[in-house]
Amino acid sequence: MPAASALDLDTIRQDFPILDQTVDGKPLVYLDSAASSQKPRQVIEAISRYYLRDHANVHRGVHELARRATEAYENSRERVARWVNAADAHEIVWTRGTSEALNLVAFSIGQARVRKGDEIVISEMEHHSNLVPWQLLAARTGARLRYVGLTDDGHIDLDHLEGLLGSRTKVVSFPHVSNALGTINPVTDIGTLIRDRSNAVYILDGAQAAPHLPVDVQAIGCDFYAFSGHKMCGPTGMGVLWGRKELLDEMPPYQGGGEMIERVSRQSSTWAEVPHKFEAGTPNIAGAVGMAAAVDYLDSVGLDAIHEHEMALTRTAMRLLANVDGLRILGPASAEERAGVIPFVIDGTSAQDVATILDAQGIAVRAGHHCAQLVVDRYGLSATTRASFYLYNSNEEVHRLAEGIGTARELLLS
Ligand code: PLP
């Protein structure tokens, strides 16, 4: 079977020992990376090395290990800043993940900028992490939450967006890539539209984009960009909020505690400089070390090559699945407009049953609403089965998926 692209898959797969196992006697096919990616040895070893040699609390000590831990923690911030082309490493706030990053920005920008009668614009494509924090803000402030609709082929309806933008719009927040449709949104053009029509702050949920596409936050022209380590070969419990420095400076803290203050008195406190203002308490130091190792790893393969590889896998999957009777893939019809995410339904079957039968064949996929309930509602469904690809997946695995789906269909409809 031909390789899907020019990536050196044999070498890459050796970096991920977890993939080399059987499930019920069948070779594991891991197609659930949109939920969480696997970790290469290089990341696991960097975290292990840190704990074996360098661990202490950061910023507080004068001793050698405290110095080493602080250096590792802050160097990782600089590494991630360079990776997304931030203007300054101080624009990188470490968080627990995309969810916390979006909650942080909704809470703090909300306090700084959003008042009763203002409007917050999101889309029907949101993961709940980019929806519920805005509902909470709207309920707290009396602002109005407005939704941009989706087209039948899984795009944000840009005409609708244009009509919604105006002087009341204070925040616009969208996904860069949809976890439930696979759509890659035209985020730079959307940024231009937002700036032309409003003074809104533009936020991107990059959870499904940063692991798969080169991201340049300055070129995109957004104000905030959030992503998670565990979806990009890094550790769980670690994420990033990138924000423009002047906006981060303007925002009040999100949580209080050690390290985020400049001075404390009985009734009030003043705040540390950005980003420390947003990092209360002992942070996930090993997580930061793992993030830098993940970024090094992805860079060593190349984000452009990863994207090409996933597009080739997506093309193969779409071609093979087009032959399955009654199967419908949600999202854009062209592989060029989507990331390596294939959400599908088969007439007369339940998404959960399809996933269960695939599991019995060693194929790991996910079924449900994928924390994007408005998406399945929009397309008149209650759930989809979702296969998602990453740099370590092969063309052969996509063929196994198609065969497995054929088997599931036969078993469920016979
Ligand atoms: N946004 C999108 C588009 C996602 O796919 C996810 C996770 O699936 C999240 C946000 C939340 O990420 P996390 O659970 O790492 O906070």
Side-chain angles (χ1 to χ4, degrees), residues 172 174 186-188 190-191 194 200-204 220-224:
V172 181
F174 288 145
V187 288
T188 308
I190 289 177
I194 293 169
V201 171
Y202 178 30
I203 300 159
L204 284 172
I220 291 172
C222 56
D223 297 305
F224 293 94

Side-chain angles (χ1 to χ4, degrees), residues 24-25 50 70 87 91 93 103-104 120 150 158 169 200 248-249 253 261 287 294 296 301 307 309 372 405:
D24 279 345
Y50 165 76
T70 304
E91 296 185 333
V93 180
N103 274 280
L104 187 167
I120 300 160
L150 305 182
L158 296 181
T169 320
L248 292 171
D249 282 338
I261 52 86
D296 283 345
V301 180
H307 179 51
H309 175 72
I405 289 172

Side-chain angles (χ1 to χ4, degrees), residues 342-361:
I342 308 276
F344 63 92
V345 285
I346 304 174
D347 286 347
T349 67
S350 102
Q352 194 67 44
D353 289 348
V354 172
T356 305
I357 295 174
L358 288 172
D359 175 50
Q361 300 171 71

